[in-house]
Amino acid sequence: KLWVIAGYDGSPYSNDVWYSADGITWTEATASAPFSGRDYHSSVVFDNKLWVIGGYDRVFKNDVWYSADGISWTEATANAPFSGRYGHSSVVFDNKLWVIAGYDGAVKNDVWYSADGISWTAATTNAPFSGREGHSSVVFDNKLWVIGGYDGAVKNDVWYSADGISWTAATANAPFSGRDGHSSVVFDNKLWVIGGYDGAVKNDVWYSADGISWTAATTNAPFSGREGHSSVVFDNKLWVIGGYDGAVKNDVWYSADGISWTAATANAPF
């Protein structure tokens, strides 16, 4: 299923959890999870569970929560050793959870991992990429990747690491504009970057087979330019869910190739 967890809709921060088997019909797993309403947290699937890490609920958070069903949630830790933060990224790599960079009052370039969500270890407290928030991360070619973000300026650099400790710049200047609040996934054996904010909200879609050379699948997808959306791969398709284009959105879009996009729904119930 597709899952949407918490966020900000212009009213108090949300802690609702929704799922869908098709992107059209959505069901609320819970209207009020036990973690505080928040935005700019990260979510991943690990150990056959949903995980929610950090974010902002008017204070920077470093709590970690998990659920086997989206309804009942358990706090793995209320206070991980990394600083409370938002705009970080999380992935699953080497059978571990990872938290990369973000903003805790200052932009960060630390990298943390955990085998259980409770005990966390710093792979590095000072990666060679600049401290940043609003970047994206994926696992591709058996490596961790960090793409773009904001470090005081919007970035279009791309970095990778085989261990989370040593990082290499694939490119300092990808052909897409510097941006934050974009999304990234791995699809069709390629890296993808979708939308974001470069001074204006974007609806372009880019892909790369190596992180160095990038191609525009489309510079003007039919969904509105947006930031803060989420993207996943589901049912052999790319998906774009919600975000902000000057207003908060609850539309859901999918594509089999990154070029042609179809609206699953213009108005999901979340």
Side-chain angles (χ1 to χ4, degrees):
K1 301 178 183 74
L2 293 162
W3 292 79
V4 169
I5 303 173
Y8 182 74
D9 65 3
S11 60
Y13 296 95
S14 297
N15 60 348
D16 51 350
V17 180
W18 295 78
Y19 65 89
S20 174
D22 60 8
I24 302 167
T25 303
W26 291 81
T27 301
E28 191 170 48
T30 178
S32 184
F35 53 80
S36 60
R38 64 191 61 196
D39 67 353
Y40 290 105
H41 52 289
S42 61
S43 297
V44 294
V45 174
F46 173 68
D47 189 31
N48 293 315
K49 300 177 183 72
L50 297 162
W51 293 76
V52 169
I53 303 172
Y56 185 77
D57 69 355
R58 294 187 177 85
V59 297
F60 302 113
K61 307 295 289 184
N62 61 345
D63 51 351
V64 179
W65 294 77
Y66 64 88
S67 174
D69 60 8
I71 302 167
S72 301
W73 291 81
T74 300
E75 191 172 49
T77 178
N79 187 26
F82 53 81
S83 58
R85 64 188 62 196
Y86 72 67
H88 54 285
S89 59
S90 293
V91 293
V92 175
F93 175 67
D94 190 31
N95 295 314
K96 301 177 184 71
L97 291 164
W98 294 76
V99 168
I100 303 173
Y103 181 81
D104 68 357
V107 286
K108 308 294 288 183
N109 62 345
D110 51 352
V111 180
W112 295 77
Y113 64 86
S114 174
D116 60 9
I118 301 167
S119 301
W120 291 81
T121 302
T124 177
T125 57
N126 187 25
F129 54 80
S130 58
R132 63 191 60 198
E133 59 169 311
H135 55 285
S136 60
S137 293
V138 293
V139 174
F140 175 69
D141 190 31
N142 294 314
K143 301 177 183 72
L144 294 162
W145 293 76
V146 168
I147 303 172
Y150 180 79
D151 69 355
V154 286
K155 307 293 288 183
N156 60 346
D157 52 351
V158 179
W159 294 77
Y160 64 88
S161 174
D163 59 9
I165 302 167
S166 301
W167 290 81
T168 301
T171 178
N173 188 25
F176 53 81
S177 58
R179 64 191 61 196
D180 66 352
H182 53 286
S183 61
S184 293
V185 294
V186 174
F187 176 69
D188 189 31
N189 294 315
K190 300 177 184 72
L191 294 162
W192 293 76
V193 169
I194 303 172
Y197 180 82
D198 69 355
V201 286
K202 307 295 288 184
N203 61 345
D204 52 352
V205 180
W206 295 77
Y207 64 88
S208 174
D210 59 9
I212 301 167
S213 301
W214 291 82
T215 301
T218 178
T219 56
N220 187 24
F223 54 81
S224 59
R226 63 191 60 197
E227 60 175 315
H229 53 286
S230 58
S231 293
V232 292
V233 174
F234 174 69
D235 190 30
N236 295 314
K237 300 177 184 73
L238 292 163
W239 293 77
V240 169
I241 303 172
Y244 181 79
D245 69 356
V248 285
K249 306 295 288 184
N250 62 342
D251 52 350
V252 181
W253 294 77
Y254 65 87
S255 174
D257 59 9
I259 302 168
S260 301
W261 291 81
T262 301
T265 177
N267 188 26
F270 51 78

